[in-house]
């Protein structure tokens, strides 16, 4: 058995580093928080290769007095608290005294610092936790921390770092959030020599949003303000017509600290009520201020999480703050469907009885041999023959008696679930069908032998497009339309870098995306099926592909999304020939019954069931 | 109000303004047509707040006045009246209009005329006067390339630009671009983006004879076209139109001259071999022969060759067939000049002997 020993300091620091320092972005977060605690009004961050090789944080804060410099690199050395009781009164961002030694343990770190009253500055340098230099240097007031070769002595961690583009994205993300939490401080981020953003530092949160997300989001923000009990809420939410496929653009701040809070996220989303499409998320920044005694910040080593003493109160107030903003600034009518306007029930219309002419039928037996004779203008849309069945057999079976003809129209009014509405998935085979019309501009009605079909026009079309795209992709024939004027997408920093990171995969799907400044990108080709797409739709589509493609096969995901975007929508009027084409194409698909999302396409009502409903049998 | 006109004249005027009637019932009054008579003149007006149209005619006025009539009922009624004289008389107490024609008399509910919005006229002098048939042709040769866009981006409209006695119309949906220019002397410079829908309505009111002219005026953010006794006012699209001259290639690597009708019908046949409207056709040019090829993984394939006049090296390029057809259908000459370049460079199509109508089209990138 191994002996129990006390770990040496370097090892202990390496272990601690694992908790606090996961990636370059965490170094940025810790150092920027230190700078903020030091009262900096301007913070410059520069990274190279996503911060893996080099990152530097320059602040104009108060600096560290020469004598205290070496102590700052001892574990649990902090100027921010003095005893455990202080934890519940913490207003500063850091307090654990772990950041500096942890980072120094796993990188080559150099710090230059000078206080306003010191004649010269101090330089201290570490490599893998070992002090290399400590000397006097000339320096401006403030602190500059340079971190090189992060994780050079912990290969396991180094291996888990993502490619530079991803790490860069994490840095953009965290620095953007910190800038939002501190609008009074000017933040500047430079990556590989290019200025990514610079915030004005004039206390205006909206200006920070502009800097980070660009004008499309920046110009659609609504201010959130609420004071209730002990909580003060400030923030910005985006109008509901701009939204995202994930929670990436939600920022939560508690007492100036950027936190992750599923509680606040769900409160904000609740505040939007049904204004956002399903599975879409708002763009919001919400900042709470309250007495420190109402929360516990010492839950997570990196202080990412926070515990509220009364979480239901926080939830309620945040939700109300968001809802009040949206309600007061926007007319809710645009979204809430007034059910009385939606459908005019037949019953409310003035009933005027229309006597009908009764046509004498030629055949006394009441049998008519085929539909073509009754309605010569509406020919059968027929599926291409593959089996044995011939026309005569098929049509002869559908003939029904004249007195039943009148029921045809009224069937559409039946909506109760008591009919057998199961989506029958028996093979349709060579059934003859005929399109009757459209119901509520959403469903195509067709009759086929002894069945009435209700076909959801959107999902039917989606199925057709999906199989078509799938075949093209298998045949490697996704064609891309080059664009004369590239589409300019303003997606904000994190989304833009995500899109660019996905560049090669998107190119395979027909989207050629190039960088256009840190917040924007240009799309130079789109798949030919999407040649009429607008910037807004395209931006949403790309982000959706990336968001969903993380977990699933991105090709499959793209096919599903593209077929959904390209399909006719519910509520669109379709002409009879178009509906016939739609049903013909649907019948030719491999799986006409479910859409790529798994929803049913066709609901089949059996004549027997309909008869039973009318008391005929 | 009371006046007398004829069924034919009333219907002609109604047909002019009817398209501007609001279809959605946002403001009820806008679903109506405004009538105003006085001094032997009848004014008809309709607006959906995007487009407004006004028509004038002379009538025999008994007493002046104004009112608004629901277009949905008024227009079909006039359409079905027997030809000949029609008398319109307002029944004050009942807010009704009595229409008498032949042996029939009809009473229709009216709305109050004072509530109807008026046209932004002002005393602005027209910026340009031009022959109607010229403008109509220019619109026909550009408007089809606009983008169907609910977002109201600049691509949903046609750029109209007048500088140094030259009128230029430009439209693009970012896949292709139409450029059209004509020398029309005597105007003042202007530059605006006309919504695609306005273009269609404008084309409809422009007579085809070679004499008529139309005058154009800008009033605030609206444009006003006046043609004889019809006025069309439209809102303009806001935004910055991209610099189109930068996407128009100065030259292309290979140029061919081809019979327009032959090419059109060959493309139409090729396009049948496709299930998708967005399908592409490959153009191969070698030694004076143009070969069109299409392939659809589900349906089949096609190949057809045409002899052309070739100037430049062998070339291969692919385009969406519908984009080529859109343009070829608007050309009035027998032959067209097609310029092609390799890679992602745009191709051009123009009538044989003219640079006044240029179509710039981006290729489709097909995987190897």
């Amino acid at each position: 058995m191994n002996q129990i020993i006390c770990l040496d300091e370097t090892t202990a620091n390496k272990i601690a580093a694992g908790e606090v320092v996961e990636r370059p972005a965490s170094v940025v977060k810790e150092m920027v928080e230190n700078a903020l605690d030091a009262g900096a009004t301007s913070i410059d961050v520069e990274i190279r290769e996503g911060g893996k090789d080099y990152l530097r944080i320059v602040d104009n804060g108060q600096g560290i007095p020469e004598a205290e410099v070496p102590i700052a690199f001892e574990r649990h050395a902090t100027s921010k608290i003095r005893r455990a009781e202080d934890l519940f009164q913490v207003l500063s961002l850091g307090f654990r005294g772990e950041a500096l030694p942890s980072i120094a343990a796993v990188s080559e770190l150099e710090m230059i610092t000078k206080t306003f009253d010191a004649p010269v500055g101090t330089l201290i340098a570490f490599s893998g936790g070992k002090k290399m230099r400590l000397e006097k240097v000339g320096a401006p007031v403030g602190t500059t921390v340079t971190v090189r070769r992060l994780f050079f002595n912990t290969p396991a961690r180094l291996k888990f770092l993502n490619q530079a583009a991803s790490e860069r994205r994490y840095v953009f993300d965290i620095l953007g959030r910190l800038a939002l939490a501190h609008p009074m401080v000017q933040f500047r981020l430079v990556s590989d020599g290019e200025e990514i953003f610079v915030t004005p530092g004039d206390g205006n949160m909206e200006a920070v949003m502009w800097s980070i997300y660009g004008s499309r989001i920046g110009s659609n923000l609504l201010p959130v303000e609420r004071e209730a009990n002990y909580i003060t809420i400030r923030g910005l939410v985006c109008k509901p017509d701009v939204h995202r496929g994930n929670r990436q653009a939600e920022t939560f701040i508690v007492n100036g600290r950027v936190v992750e809070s599923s509680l606040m996220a769900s409160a904000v989303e609740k505040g939007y009520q049904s204004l956002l499409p399903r599975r879409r998320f708002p763009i919001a920044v919400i900042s709470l201020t309250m007495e420190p005694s109402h929360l516990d910040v010492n839950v997570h080593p990196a202080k990412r999480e926070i515990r509220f003493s009364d979480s239901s109160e926080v939830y309620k107030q945040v939700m109300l703050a968001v809802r009040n903003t949206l309600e007061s600034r926007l007319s809710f009518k645009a979204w809430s469907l007034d059910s009385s306007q939606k459908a005019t029930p037949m019953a409310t219309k003035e009933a005027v009885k229309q006597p009908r002419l009764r046509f004498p039928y030629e055949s006394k037996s009441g049998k008519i041999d085929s539909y073509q004779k009754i309605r010569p203008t509406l020919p059968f849309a027929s599926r291409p023959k593959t089996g044995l069945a011939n026309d005569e057999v098929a049509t002869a079976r559908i003939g029904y008696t004249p007195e039943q003809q009148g029921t045809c129209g009224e069937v559409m009014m039946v909506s109760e679930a008591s009919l057998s509405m199961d989506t029958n998935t028996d093979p349709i085979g060579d059934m003859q069908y005929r399109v009757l019309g459209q119901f509520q501009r959403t469903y195509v009605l067709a009759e086929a032998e002894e069945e009435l079909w209700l076909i959801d026009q959107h999902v039917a079309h989606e199925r057709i497009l999906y199989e078509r795209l799938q075949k093209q992709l298998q045949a490697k024939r996704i064609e891309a339309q080059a664009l004369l004027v590239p589409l300019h997408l303003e997606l904000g920093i994190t989304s833009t870098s995500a899109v660019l990171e996905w560049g090669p995969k998107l190119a395979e799907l027909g989207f050629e995306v190039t960088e256009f400044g840190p917040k924007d990108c240009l799309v130079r080709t789109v798949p030919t099926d999407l040649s009429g797409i607008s910037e807004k739709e395209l931006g949403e589509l790309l982000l959706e592909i990336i968001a969903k493609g993380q977990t699933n096969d991105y090709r499959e995901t793209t096919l599903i999304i593209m077929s959904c975007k390209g399909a006719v929508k519910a509520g669109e009027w379709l002409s009879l020939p178009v509906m016939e084409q739609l049903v013909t194409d649907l019948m030719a698909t491999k799986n006409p019954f479910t859409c790529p999302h798994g929803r049913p396409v066709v609901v089949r009502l059996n004549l027997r069931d309909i008869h039973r409903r009318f008391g005929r049998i | 109000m009371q006046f007398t006109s004829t069924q034919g004249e009333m219907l002609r005027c109604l047909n002019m303004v009817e398209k501007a009637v609001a279809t959605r019932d946002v403001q009820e009054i806008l679903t109506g047509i405004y009538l105003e008579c006085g001094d032997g003149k009848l004014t008809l007006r309709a607006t959906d707040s995007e487009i407004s149209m006004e028509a004038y005619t002379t009538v025999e006025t008994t007493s002046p006045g104004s009112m608004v009539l629901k277009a949905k009922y008024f227009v079909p009624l006039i359409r079905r009246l027997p030809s000949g004289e029609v008398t319109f008389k307002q029944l004050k107490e009942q807010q009704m209009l009595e229409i008498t024609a032949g042996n029939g008399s009809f009473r229709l509910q009216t709305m109050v005329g004072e509530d109807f919005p008026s046209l932004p006229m002002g005393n602005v002098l027209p910026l340009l006067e031009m022959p109607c048939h010229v403008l109509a042709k220019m619109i026909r040769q550009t408007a089809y390339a606009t983008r169907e866009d609910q977002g109201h981006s600049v691509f949903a409209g046609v750029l109209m630009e007048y500088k140094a006695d030259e009128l230029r119309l430009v439209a693009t949906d970012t896949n292709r671009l139409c450029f059209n220019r004509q020398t029309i002397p005597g105007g003042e410079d202007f530059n605006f983006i006309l919504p695609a829908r306005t273009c269609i309505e404008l084309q409809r009111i422009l007579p085809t004879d070679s004499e008529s002219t139309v005058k154009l005026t800008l009033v605030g953010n609206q444009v006003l076209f006046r043609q004889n006794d019809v006025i069309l006012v439209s809102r303009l699209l806001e935004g910055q139109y991209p610099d189109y001259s930068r996407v128009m290639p100065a030259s292309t690597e290979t140029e061919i001259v081809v019979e327009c009708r032959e090419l059109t019908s060959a493309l139409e046949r090729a396009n049948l071999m496709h299930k998708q409207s967005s399908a592409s056709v490959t153009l191969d040019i070698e030694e004076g022969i143009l070969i069109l090829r299409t392939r659809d993984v589900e349906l089949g394939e096609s190949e057809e060759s045409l002899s052309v006049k070739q100037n430049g090296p062998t070339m291969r390029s692919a385009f969406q067939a519908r984009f080529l057809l859109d343009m070829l259908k608007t050309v009035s000459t027998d032959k067209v000049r097609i310029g092609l370049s390799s890679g992602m460079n745009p191709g051009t199509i123009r009538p044989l002997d003219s640079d006044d109508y240029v179509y710039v089209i981006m290729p489709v990138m097909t995987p190897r």
Side-chain angles (χ1 to χ4, degrees):
Chain A
M1 204 172 107
N2 286 342
Q3 240 184 317
I4 294 174
I5 54 156
C6 225
L7 292 175
D8 66 80
E9 202 183 313
T10 322
T11 316
N13 276 339
K14 274 192 195 176
I15 294 171
E19 291 172 26
V20 184
V21 187
E22 277 177 282
R23 50 172 26 105
S26 12
V27 176
V28 169
K29 176 178 176 288
E30 294 296 335
M31 294 300 103
V32 168
E33 284 186 347
N34 279 349
L36 290 166
D37 284 341
T41 58
S42 155
I43 298 173
D44 266 35
V45 177
E46 190 189 343
I47 58 169
R48 288 181 205 151
E49 283 295 305
K52 291 201 283 188
D53 281 4
Y54 177 92
L55 53 90
R56 192 180 67 166
I57 294 99
V58 183
D59 73 53
N60 63 353
Q62 61 191 30
I64 304 171
E66 192 189 342
E68 294 170 21
V69 170
I71 308 169
F73 286 89
E74 278 167 30
R75 283 245 283 160
H76 304 303
T78 181
S79 60
K80 297 166 188 177
I81 57 169
R82 288 284 173 264
R83 53 188 175 271
E85 295 84 77
D86 290 350
L87 276 178
F88 293 95
Q89 293 299 329
V90 183
L91 280 169
S92 59
L93 298 172
F95 54 82
R96 294 165 65 111
E98 281 184 324
L100 272 177
S102 305
I103 297 165
V106 292
S107 67
E108 288 175 1
L109 183 144
E110 186 187 281
M111 184 168 91
I112 299 171
T113 182
K114 178 184 171 298
T115 56
F116 78 100
D117 53 355
V120 287
T122 314
L123 180 151
I124 190 164
F126 290 84
S127 177
K130 277 208 258 340
K131 184 155 64 176
M132 309 303 281
R133 287 160 77 191
L134 176 62
E135 56 202 53
K136 289 191 166 77
V137 287
V141 177
T143 306
T144 300
V145 178
T146 311
V147 176
R148 290 188 178 84
R149 297 177 65 205
L150 186 65
F151 299 138
F152 76 96
N153 56 348
T154 51
R157 281 205 159 258
L158 189 61
K159 214 169 66 189
F160 278 99
L161 284 187
N162 294 333
Q163 47 171 305
S166 304
E167 295 302 337
R168 194 181 304 142
R169 185 151 53 87
Y170 287 117
V171 174
F172 295 174
D173 186 62
I174 187 64
L175 200 68
R177 289 174 199 273
L178 287 165
L180 281 171
H182 301 277
M184 290 301 291
V185 179
Q186 185 180 58
F187 282 82
R188 183 163 166 269
L189 173 61
V190 174
S191 166
D192 296 316
E194 188 190 2
E195 186 174 272
I196 304 298
F197 69 76
V198 50
T199 68
D202 59 0
N204 182 352
M205 200 187 256
E206 203 168 332
V208 182
M209 288 292 275
W210 271 84
S211 309
I212 299 168
Y213 290 105
S215 61
R216 195 163 90 84
I217 288 174
S219 57
N220 277 300
L221 295 168
L222 303 172
V224 177
E225 278 178 32
R226 187 178 176 84
E227 263 164 66
N229 296 336
Y230 55 89
I231 308 172
T232 306
I233 303 171
R234 292 279 178 279
L236 295 164
V237 290
C238 209
K239 290 179 190 160
D241 41 350
V242 187
H243 40 73
R244 287 288 161 86
N246 56 35
R247 294 201 169 89
Q248 201 57 244
E250 296 175 10
T251 299
F252 302 111
I253 299 153
V254 178
N255 286 355
R257 187 190 307 282
V258 175
V259 295
E260 283 171 15
S261 169
S262 53
L263 176 86
M264 287 172 72
S266 52
V268 170
E269 284 151 26
K270 184 82 181 164
Y272 271 80
Q273 304 190 82
S274 54
L275 297 186
L276 296 177
R278 233 158 48 88
R279 313 261 283 287
R280 302 293 295 179
F281 300 96
I283 295 147
V285 45
I286 297 292
S287 171
L288 303 187
T289 315
M290 60 180 83
E291 276 291 305
S293 56
H294 290 288
L295 29 96
D296 182 1
V297 286
N298 194 19
V299 181
H300 186 276
K303 303 174 217 104
R304 274 202 302 253
E305 286 166 24
I306 205 156
R307 206 174 279 153
F308 298 104
S309 61
D310 184 355
S311 51
S312 62
E313 178 68 12
V314 172
Y315 180 89
K316 192 174 104 192
Q317 297 305 341
V318 170
M319 188 265 283
L320 287 175
V322 172
R323 181 172 294 181
N324 290 347
T325 297
L326 292 167
E327 272 175 1
S328 61
R329 294 306 184 100
L330 303 162
S331 137
F332 254 72
K333 277 183 201 143
W335 293 282
S336 63
L337 287 174
D338 185 353
S339 55
S340 66
Q341 275 189 346
K342 250 310 234 181
T344 334
M346 298 300 268
T348 62
K349 288 209 176 147
E350 205 179 327
V352 180
K353 287 245 165 94
Q354 167 65 55
R356 284 196 189 176
L357 284 176
R358 292 189 74 87
F359 290 104
Y361 288 98
E362 287 170 19
S363 151
K364 277 265 151 79
S365 71
K367 294 270 176 191
I368 288 168
D369 33 19
S370 87
Y371 259 127
Q372 273 98 336
K373 282 193 181 163
I374 309 175
R375 303 228 175 114
T377 50
L378 298 178
F380 274 85
S382 159
R383 193 194 147 149
K385 287 266 162 276
T386 50
L388 288 166
N390 67 48
D391 266 320
E392 269 177 66
V393 175
T395 45
R397 261 196 285 160
I398 330 169
Y400 57 58
T401 53
E403 35 312 354
Q404 285 169 334
Q405 209 188 351
T407 62
C408 207
E410 279 107 279
V411 168
M412 299 173 198
M413 305 300 294
V414 177
S415 63
E416 280 99 324
S418 57
L419 281 175
S420 65
M421 297 281 268
D422 324 312
T423 41
N424 183 352
T425 49
D426 291 346
I428 294 181
D430 277 333
M431 275 165 90
Q432 293 271 339
Y433 51 84
R434 187 171 68 94
V435 172
L436 300 170
Q438 198 182 15
F439 175 60
Q440 288 286 315
R441 295 192 170 192
T442 301
Y443 302 100
V444 175
L445 298 180
E447 64 177 326
E449 302 189 4
E450 295 204 325
E451 289 178 357
L452 176 68
W453 292 351
L454 289 120
I455 302 163
D456 184 322
Q457 62 190 41
H458 172 71
V459 288
H461 196 200
E462 204 173 82
R463 179 87 239 165
I464 296 162
L465 291 178
Y466 173 76
E467 290 201 3
R468 192 174 292 162
L469 286 167
Q470 203 176 31
K471 272 183 202 156
Q472 285 184 2
L473 194 64
Q474 277 160 6
K476 291 238 184 257
R477 279 199 54 97
I478 290 259
E479 292 180 337
Q481 170 68 54
L483 300 179
L484 202 51
V485 186
L487 294 175
H488 177 185
L489 305 185
E490 286 184 60
L491 297 172
I493 293 166
T494 40
S495 301
T496 299
S497 50
V499 167
L500 294 172
E501 204 181 312
W502 271 65
K505 287 176 180 168
L506 293 174
E508 194 183 320
L509 300 164
F511 302 96
E512 192 192 309
V513 188
T514 53
E515 199 172 344
F516 189 66
K519 291 188 274 283
D520 303 18
C521 55
L522 294 179
V523 180
R524 294 179 184 281
T525 73
V526 295
T528 49
D529 282 326
L530 297 175
S531 22
I533 197 164
S534 73
E535 286 86 349
K536 182 168 183 267
E537 289 170 313
L538 182 62
E540 283 166 12
L541 173 69
L542 293 184
L543 293 184
E544 200 175 336
I545 290 174
I546 292 168
K548 298 199 175 142
Q550 302 282 9
T551 43
N552 304 313
D553 178 16
Y554 69 94
R555 286 193 205 87
E556 177 81 7
T557 313
T558 310
L559 291 189
I560 292 175
I561 298 169
M562 276 174 49
S563 44
C564 182
K565 297 263 168 186
V568 292
K569 303 283 178 296
E572 246 175 76
W573 180 84
L574 303 178
S575 69
L576 199 61
V578 169
M579 288 191 278
E580 277 164 0
Q581 185 63 49
L582 185 78
V583 180
T584 311
D585 288 348
L586 178 68
M587 291 306 125
T589 60
K590 273 187 286 183
N591 182 359
F593 294 107
T594 49
C595 88
H597 294 106
R599 276 159 60 193
V601 181
V602 189
V603 167
R604 300 162 74 177
L605 305 183
N606 195 289
L607 179 63
R608 273 187 73 81
D609 294 327
I610 296 170
H611 277 332
R612 197 172 289 129
R613 244 346 262 168
F614 283 97
R616 284 183 178 275
I617 48 171
Chain B
M1 136 170 163
Q2 189 176 345
F3 64 92
T4 308
S5 180
T6 62
Q7 185 264 349
E9 183 56 14
M10 279 303 284
L11 187 58
R12 187 188 71 84
C13 294
L14 287 173
N15 281 341
M16 287 288 181
V17 300
E18 193 195 355
K19 285 287 163 67
V21 173
T23 44
R24 272 174 306 162
D25 195 353
V26 184
Q27 253 181 295
E28 203 198 355
I29 192 124
L30 299 187
T31 61
I33 292 176
Y34 172 80
L35 302 184
E36 183 188 327
C37 78
D39 290 341
K41 186 175 126 181
L42 174 72
T43 306
L44 296 93
R45 189 190 308 144
T47 178
D48 62 3
S49 63
E50 288 288 319
I51 292 185
S52 312
M53 289 173 93
E54 201 167 272
Y56 309 99
T57 180
T58 47
V59 291
E60 210 177 286
T61 317
T62 316
S63 72
S66 70
M67 64 171 64
V68 178
L69 289 153
K70 273 252 179 197
K72 201 174 153 189
Y73 308 105
F74 184 52
V75 180
L77 174 64
I78 300 297
R79 191 169 289 140
R80 283 169 182 76
L81 287 179
S83 57
E85 202 163 85
V86 188
T87 304
F88 298 83
K89 184 183 174 191
Q90 189 171 19
L91 307 173
K92 266 268 153 38
E93 318 77 53
Q94 297 154 288
Q95 280 211 358
M96 288 277 199
L97 176 72
E98 187 176 67
I99 302 162
T100 321
N103 297 327
S105 114
F106 310 87
R107 264 162 238 104
L108 210 57
Q109 193 80 46
T110 67
M111 292 181 270
V112 186
E114 282 80 52
D115 301 344
F116 205 84
S118 55
L119 288 192
M121 291 296 215
N123 295 321
V124 193
L125 286 171
L127 297 172
L128 181 66
E129 180 166 1
M130 70 197 114
C132 291
H133 71 277
V134 172
L135 181 60
K137 187 180 174 192
M138 289 179 84
I139 291 175
R140 189 167 59 87
Q141 291 183 337
T142 42
Y144 63 87
T146 53
R147 181 163 87 181
E148 282 177 37
D149 201 323
Q150 270 102 31
H152 300 292
S153 73
V154 294
F155 300 123
V158 174
L159 174 72
M160 288 184 90
E161 190 181 55
Y162 185 82
K163 219 169 23 185
D165 287 348
E166 188 175 86
L167 177 66
R168 295 175 164 199
L169 265 62
V170 180
T172 179
D173 62 0
T174 72
N175 302 304
R176 64 315 194 5
L177 176 140
C178 286
F179 168 86
N180 212 300
R181 68 173 176 203
Q182 283 295 320
T183 305
I184 304 164
E188 275 178 64
D189 292 5
F190 58 81
N191 182 320
F192 57 80
I193 307 164
L194 196 64
R197 189 189 144 213
T198 308
C199 293
I200 296 167
E201 296 310 328
L202 183 58
Q203 234 180 331
R204 218 173 44 85
I205 62 161
L206 294 174
T208 48
D209 64 279
S210 55
E211 304 292 307
S212 313
T213 59
V214 54
K215 290 183 188 136
L216 179 158
T217 314
L218 282 175
V219 189
N221 185 33
Q222 302 192 80
V223 64
L224 189 148
F225 292 93
R226 181 173 198 140
Q227 196 284 309
N228 195 20
D229 53 3
V230 186
I231 291 181
L232 183 153
V233 180
S234 166
R235 243 191 227 172
L236 299 174
L237 287 177
E238 283 173 48
Q240 184 67 41
Y241 207 84
D243 180 4
Y244 60 88
S245 61
R246 285 176 49 188
V247 300
M248 294 178 59
S251 63
T252 50
E253 294 166 36
T254 300
E255 194 169 88
I256 56 168
V257 174
V258 58
E259 286 282 343
C260 185
R261 197 174 302 164
E262 267 184 39
L263 180 60
T264 306
S265 46
L267 282 169
E268 276 168 346
R269 282 189 289 275
N271 213 16
L272 291 176
M273 288 294 130
H274 274 304
K275 287 194 132 181
Q276 283 163 282
S277 59
S278 62
S280 68
V281 53
T282 309
L283 276 59
D284 266 305
I285 300 158
E286 203 175 343
E287 291 169 8
I289 303 285
L290 165 67
I291 305 171
L292 306 175
R293 286 195 183 89
T294 56
R295 190 162 89 83
D296 184 290
V297 279
E298 288 179 77
L299 203 61
E301 46 192 51
S302 77
E303 187 176 316
E304 184 161 351
S305 57
L306 298 171
S307 67
V308 296
K309 217 170 96 191
Q310 181 183 347
N311 193 351
T314 298
M315 183 61 63
R316 160 175 282 202
S317 224
F319 300 97
Q320 292 196 38
R322 59 180 170 143
F323 290 161
L324 297 173
L325 286 167
D326 278 349
M327 191 276 175
L328 294 171
K329 283 175 184 165
T330 62
V331 180
S332 43
T333 55
D334 293 341
K335 288 181 176 171
V336 290
R337 246 181 326 146
I338 303 181
L340 297 170
S341 295
S342 49
M344 273 240 279
N345 294 308
T348 57
I349 313 179
R350 59 191 97 203
L352 183 57
D353 297 315
S354 163
D355 282 330
D356 291 344
Y357 180 18
V358 184
Y359 189 65
V360 184
I361 176 169
M362 287 301 273
V364 165
M365 314 311 286
T366 39
R368 289 280 143 86

